[in-house]
Amino acid sequence: MNADAAPRHARHPVGPLRSTYLPRTASALTSAMATYGIPLLVLATTRSAALTGLAFALEWVPRLAAFGWAGSLVDRRGASRVAFLASLGRALALAVGAVLLHLHPAGAGASATVMALAAITGVLTEFSYVASETAGAAAGRRAGARAHRVQAVLFGIDQSATLAGPALAGLLLLTGPARMLAVTTALSLLTALLTLRTPSSPAAPAQEAQTETGAGLLTGLRTIRSLPALGWLVGGLALSNLAGALLQAAGPVIVVNHYGQSTTAVGLVWSAAAAATLLSVTLCRFAIDRCGLWPVGAVCAALASLACFATAHAPDYLSYLVLVAVLMAADGGMTVVLRTLRSRLIPPEKFGSTLSATILILLLPYPVAGVLTALTPPDALGPVTIACAALQAAGLAAAFARLRTDPALRA
């Protein structure tokens, strides 16, 4: 691939630390604080389990709507430009929300503010995520034989942010909603400033832009359909994500209402899960070298299904925290399998569109989980969790049974 034919987001002449790692760190931390902090903010402001679940759905529905053209926009305009605009827009939205909550800390005005923040930050966070993932893939291609090291650093950054973000959001929320939003605003502005250190990409011709915007998602879906191994794995993980998404959406209600803990304890659950995932990813890298992709993925699938079933019967907060950590650690191992398979199979010229389509499928369960949480009484969340665990086990079993002899996972 020559320089003229390469995607515009791949032509950054600067090193990975400045062009990829630092912006990714700031973006991942901001995204983690927003993703986990907004539902906590809704619960703290409204004291309503139904509105907490609805806010979770509102946070994810606009994200899914944005994926139809986010990948093609990044391919055309460049990862750094899209990341800058998304981070700046998120900072402005959070700043306005902080001011409104300071002026109206309770009542209908506060409820409307936090629900609007859930929707707006959801869209902008996904644009930032697609841009960051595309920049990371371009950095990996530039690294050549050391691409796996780049991906390992990026995954470590993401998980470290997930480790710190929820706990930091929970702690800041104890000082007041406006202060939590102010700190998140500052981090989002920092992300925007860091993306300015990378060169912008030239705009695509108008006619080309219109064509790619309309066809980006279809191109990605067709690419997934043409790669059966990727399609089966993505389908199985999508059903698995329904169980994880339900635990994330219902987490504030379960921990605060059922176990009688504080909002900080909710953040600690996901911080512990991120720490377990970091350990799992390290172990899975060595296990894949010795055993291959399929055995590691199958073992992680079994562990995830068993842990999800067990969370519905967790007798206390500590056991719940441990089981969620085991579930997310197993999910992290399957994510390593997916990322490896994705980097092997997806053509570089279609990576942005196919990445968007893949993420769209994997994230469809999240708004469903939010609606389930909103419609389910807190005392009935256990049976719903068991039902989602059954779907998870069935989906993963079907996917890995189909992929048992597939050469893509046996390579």
Side-chain angles (χ1 to χ4, degrees):
M1 181 184 294
N2 57 38
D4 294 333
R8 292 176 180 86
H9 53 68
R11 299 204 297 263
H12 295 323
V14 295
L17 178 63
R18 196 177 78 175
S19 65
T20 306
Y21 297 153
L22 289 179
R24 179 68 164 252
T25 300
S27 178
L29 183 59
T30 308
S31 298
M33 290 183 65
T35 300
Y36 294 94
I38 295 297
L40 287 176
L41 182 63
V42 173
L43 183 62
T45 303
T46 66
R47 301 295 179 183
S48 169
L51 287 179
T52 302
L54 181 59
F56 190 85
L58 286 175
E59 193 175 17
W60 285 99
V61 168
R63 288 184 173 191
L64 301 181
F67 273 116
W69 47 288
S72 61
L73 183 64
V74 170
D75 284 340
R76 290 182 287 108
R77 302 299 183 184
S80 60
R81 184 178 300 177
V82 173
F84 168 74
L85 293 175
S87 298
L88 183 61
R90 182 171 55 189
L92 291 174
L94 290 169
V96 172
V99 172
L100 290 176
L101 284 180
H102 179 73
L103 296 176
H104 305 284
S111 299
T113 298
V114 294
M115 300 299 275
L117 277 177
I120 296 171
T121 59
V123 170
L124 296 173
T125 294
E126 280 315 309
F127 273 95
S128 178
Y129 175 74
V130 172
S132 296
E133 280 289 290
T134 306
R141 286 193 292 271
R142 291 195 299 270
R146 295 176 296 175
H148 64 285
R149 299 182 183 179
V150 174
Q151 294 303 321
V153 172
L154 293 176
F155 195 83
I157 289 172
D158 291 344
Q159 291 305 311
S160 298
T162 306
L163 174 65
L168 181 58
L171 289 173
L172 289 171
L173 190 56
L174 294 178
T175 68
R179 289 187 178 89
M180 187 198 80
L181 292 178
V183 173
T184 313
T185 299
L187 286 173
S188 194
L189 282 175
L190 176 62
T191 303
L193 292 175
L194 288 173
T195 59
L196 285 177
R197 302 175 67 182
T198 60
S200 301
S201 304
Q207 184 176 2
E208 177 187 348
Q210 294 172 359
T211 302
E212 290 186 1
T213 299
L217 182 58
L218 288 177
T219 299
L221 293 174
R222 288 168 183 161
T223 304
I224 294 174
R225 190 175 61 181
S226 68
L227 303 169
L230 183 63
W232 275 97
L233 186 58
V234 168
L237 289 177
L239 288 176
S240 178
N241 280 355
L242 178 61
L246 179 68
L247 292 176
Q248 184 176 331
V253 179
I254 294 173
V255 173
V256 175
N257 292 354
H258 183 67
Y259 293 120
Q261 302 293 320
S262 67
T263 55
T264 304
V266 182
L268 289 178
V269 169
W270 297 106
S271 295
T277 303
L278 277 173
L279 178 60
S280 169
V281 168
T282 302
L283 295 176
C284 285
R285 287 174 57 193
F286 293 106
I288 290 171
D289 288 339
R290 293 180 62 86
C291 304
L293 285 173
W294 188 89
V296 174
V299 170
C300 289
L303 284 175
S305 300
L306 292 173
C308 189
F309 274 112
T311 56
H313 306 285
D316 51 38
Y317 169 74
L318 182 59
S319 60
Y320 177 82
L321 181 148
V322 171
L323 288 169
V324 171
V326 172
L327 169 62
M328 299 312 296
D331 185 74
M334 291 187 289
T335 301
V336 173
V337 174
L338 173 63
R339 286 192 175 210
T340 304
L341 194 66
R342 193 169 64 189
S343 64
R344 286 181 182 178
L345 298 180
I346 298 176
E349 65 275 8
K350 298 179 181 179
F351 191 88
S353 298
T354 309
L355 174 67
S356 293
T358 301
I359 300 174
L360 174 63
I361 296 171
L362 292 175
L363 295 186
L364 279 172
Y366 280 80
V368 176
V371 173
L372 282 176
T373 303
L375 297 178
T376 304
D379 293 338
L381 285 173
V384 174
T385 302
I386 293 175
C388 290
L391 285 175
Q392 176 190 41
L396 291 176
F400 281 97
R402 173 62 177 80
L403 296 172
R404 188 167 183 266
T405 57
D406 195 291
L409 268 77
R410 287 292 182 183

